Each structure stands twice: as structure tokens, then as C-alpha cells.
């Protein structure tokens, strides 16, 4: 059952006195923009598609056309939507606090389109083209929209610049995110099921370093019962309210 939205004074105090706020977001923050989440029963992308068919290097080697078809569909979907109140509130929060790190598991670029700076894209970016053979990023890939684009340097197939199952997180993203989680004093987990590692471990990293943990999610996750503040509601309702309280409105 949902609680009425009450922002505890203790959280506002924690935000005001915080040295470093670290925020981890997942697909739930983009849900209110119209981007489906991965695991929600009714609307999750994985309910319609088997991720292992579409999001592994093996699947790409097996059928690159199918994988491109799916990612082009997702690119088109994401390109048509707009950042929502949750994304915008995080831009404001970044401007309000001392030090701020935003780590996102999302590949949709909506945080950046809203205006967030220095976003750590933990699972890559769906609009990037990368050479499957050499790993380099290719700008302005050639080829028509129905075929598999190829690398102008080596001729190998290009792939979307996202992290697939079984692949390593980009080294700098892993380094920067781990550092932020272990040095923050307030950690927010927003719109993520906290099921996919290593991102799912950041709340614990932060807690062990002494940070307080806040979760915003309309559904219970493995984190919900252990965090200091759990908002059983959507990012688009909680974050703007949090900002308005931080600004002093009652
Ligand atoms: P999930 O689909 O696993 O979880 C989405 C979460 O968002 C759920 O816990 C929902 O309850 C919550 N949610 C839904 N609507 C919300 C809203 N309006 N406000 C706040 N929360 C809401 O998605 P992720 O946790 O992002 O990885 O999944 C993590 C990773 O798994 C993804 O990055 C992707 C996927 O495999 C890769 O593709 C590598």
C-alpha cells in the first residue's frame, strides 16, 4: 500500500549538510517519459523479449540484423520522448549540493538532455556506435538504416555502445562510480530493481562507508527494508517535492 508523500525533515537536514550526494538511477526514472523498464510485469521490455536473445555478444554474432532492428526500435523510441520531472529535479539537485555524482544504468541519454552534467553512464549509451572488432567509437557511421553498419577503419560490424550481459563495465565508469559510492555521505537509489550487478552493490558500498541510503521506487526491492528512507512512490512525484522542500517551501 502506498504511503502519503511525506518528506522527513531528517532527510532535508541530511541533504543540506551533505558533503557529497551520490545518485544511482535505473530505468524507472525514465518510465514517466514513456520508456519501458526492463523487469516490470506489465510493461517491461524483457517481458516481450528474452534478453539473452538480444543483449549478448553471442546473440550479435549469431544475428546482427535482428539485434540492430531491436536497438533501432529502442533508439527511435527514446529519441521521441522527453526528460520528465524526475530527471529535471536531479539537475536542480546537482546545483544545490556541495558535491554531486550521478551514476545511471540507463542508456537513453535523458539525464543529459535534461541538463545533468558529468553523468557516469554505467551501461553505455544507446546512440553510440562501436566497432565490434576493435571496440573503438565511430562517429557518423555510414550505411542505410536496414543494414548492419560497418567500421570505416577495419570493415568489421558496428554494434550499439551499450554493455551487454556477460560484458565488463567500462573501466573508467566502474572506477568513478565505485569511488563516488565509497566517498559519498548520502546515497540515492532511484528507479532501479537493485538486481543487476555490479550497480546493485553500490548502496552497500556507500553504507559501509557511512552514508545514509535513500530509495525511491513504487515497488519493493532488495534494498527497501534496509535503507534509511524509502519512498514508495515514483521519481516524478518524490524528487520535485524533495527539491521544493529543500528550497524551503512547506
Ligand atoms: P528494472 O526494470 O530491473 O527495474 C526498474 C525499477 O524501476 C523497478 O524496481 C520499478 O519498480 C521501478 N520503477 C518503475 N516506475 C518507476 C517510477 N516512475 N519511479 C521510480 N521507480 C520506478 O530496471 P533497472 O534496475 O534499470 O542492463 O535494470 C538494471 C539493468 O538491467 C539495466 O540497466 C539493463 C537491464 O538488464 C543492461 O542492459 C546491461
Amino acid at each position: 500500500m502506498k504511503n502519503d508523500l511525506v518528506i522527513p525533515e531528517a532527510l532535508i537536514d541530511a541533504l543540506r549538510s551533505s558533503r557529497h550526494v551520490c545518485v544511482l538511477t535505473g530505468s524507472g526514472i525514465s518510465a514517466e517519459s514513456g520508456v519501458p523498464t526492463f523487469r516490470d510485469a506489465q510493461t517491461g521490455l524483457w517481458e516481450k523479449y528474452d534478453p539473452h536473445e538480444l543483449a549478448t555478444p553471442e546473440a550479435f554474432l549469431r544475428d546482427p540484423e535482428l539485434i540492430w532492428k531491436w536497438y533501432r526500435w529502442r533508439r527511435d523510441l527514446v529519441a521521441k520522448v522527453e526528460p520528465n520531472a524526475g530527471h529535471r529535479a536531479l539537475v536542480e539537485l546537482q546545483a544545490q549540493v556541495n558535491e554531486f555524482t550521478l551514476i545511471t544504468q540507463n542508456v537513453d541519454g535523458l539525464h543529459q538532455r535534461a541538463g545533468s552534467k558529468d553523468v557516469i553512464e554505467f551501461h553505455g549509451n544507446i546512440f553510440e556506435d562501436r566497432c565490434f572488432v576493435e571496440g573503438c567509437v565511430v562517429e557518423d557511421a555510414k550505411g542505410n538504416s536496414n543494414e548492419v553498419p560497418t567500421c570505416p577503419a577495419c570493415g568489421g560490424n558496428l554494434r550499439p555502445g551499450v554493455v551487454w550481459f556477460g560484458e565488463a563495465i567500462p573501466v573508467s565508469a566502474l572506477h568513478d562510480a565505485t569511488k563516488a559510492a565509497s566517498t559519498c555521505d548520502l546515497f540515492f537509489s532511484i528507479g532501479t530493481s537493485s538486481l543487476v550487478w555490479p550497480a546493485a552493490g553500490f548502496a552497500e558500498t556507500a553504507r559501509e562507508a557511512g552514508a545514509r541510503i535513500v530509495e525511491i521506487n513504487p515497488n519493493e526491492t532488495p534494498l527497501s527494508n534496509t535503507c534509511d528512507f524509502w519512498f514508495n512512490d515514483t521519481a516524478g512525484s518524490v524528487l520535485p517535492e524533495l527539491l521544493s522542500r529543500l528550497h524551503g517551501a512547506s
Side-chain angles (χ1 to χ4, degrees):
M1 188 170 69
K2 288 232 164 71
N3 302 320
D4 286 340
L5 181 52
V6 175
I7 311 281
E9 200 53 41
L11 177 55
I12 301 300
D13 289 346
L15 269 170
R16 288 197 174 122
S17 61
S18 174
R19 279 179 295 100
H20 181 181
V21 176
C22 178
V23 175
L24 171 70
T25 62
S27 59
I29 196 163
S30 296
E32 287 160 278
S33 292
V35 182
T37 62
F38 290 96
R39 291 179 183 77
D40 286 329
Q42 299 295 311
T43 57
L45 282 171
W46 289 166
E47 292 300 309
K48 284 194 227 158
Y49 303 100
D50 176 353
H52 295 100
E53 299 277 323
L54 302 166
T56 66
E58 294 75 23
F60 185 76
L61 282 169
R62 211 164 39 234
D63 192 347
E65 283 86 5
L66 170 71
I67 305 310
W68 267 110
K69 204 169 160 192
W70 191 57
Y71 278 95
R72 284 194 178 107
W73 174 77
R74 290 186 60 198
R75 280 183 177 181
D76 285 352
L77 186 149
V78 166
K80 283 188 194 123
V81 304
E82 296 297 328
N84 64 55
H87 296 109
R88 289 193 297 273
L90 288 179
V91 179
E92 238 186 285
L93 186 59
Q94 179 157 31
Q96 297 291 316
V97 299
N98 200 11
E99 189 180 347
F100 182 89
T101 305
L102 177 54
I103 308 163
T104 188
Q105 297 168 87
N106 300 343
V107 296
D108 57 27
L110 286 173
H111 284 302
Q112 292 89 331
R113 278 173 58 196
S116 283
K117 303 270 184 296
D118 304 321
V119 181
I120 299 175
E121 292 187 307
F122 205 66
H123 290 162
N125 187 310
I126 198 171
F127 294 103
E128 206 174 82
D129 292 318
R130 235 178 329 122
C131 177
F132 188 78
V133 182
E134 297 171 327
C136 53
V137 173
V138 175
E139 306 288 343
D140 301 324
K142 300 283 183 289
N144 80 45
S145 59
N146 292 320
E147 55 193 29
V148 177
T150 52
C151 174
C154 77
N157 282 342
L158 295 181
R159 54 166 287 174
V162 300
V163 175
W164 282 330
F165 289 104
E167 292 189 316
I169 303 297
V171 174
S172 66
L174 184 59
H175 172 269
D176 294 351
T178 307
K179 188 170 166 211
S182 53
T183 54
C184 68
D185 51 9
L186 196 53
F187 181 91
F188 285 75
S189 175
I190 305 174
T192 175
S193 56
S194 295
L195 291 174
V196 175
W197 292 75
F202 286 141
E204 198 47 42
T205 303
R207 192 201 316 277
E208 280 168 9
R212 272 182 284 180
I213 313 296
V214 186
E215 183 182 51
I216 303 174
N217 196 315
N219 296 301
E220 196 170 331
T221 76
L223 190 62
S224 308
N225 288 322
T226 57
C227 59
D228 298 275
F229 304 96
W230 175 36
F231 293 97
N232 176 17
D233 211 329
T234 65
S237 353
V238 178
L239 285 167
E241 182 62 21
L242 190 65
L243 262 295
S244 108
R245 286 287 310 281
L246 193 60
H247 289 146
S250 58

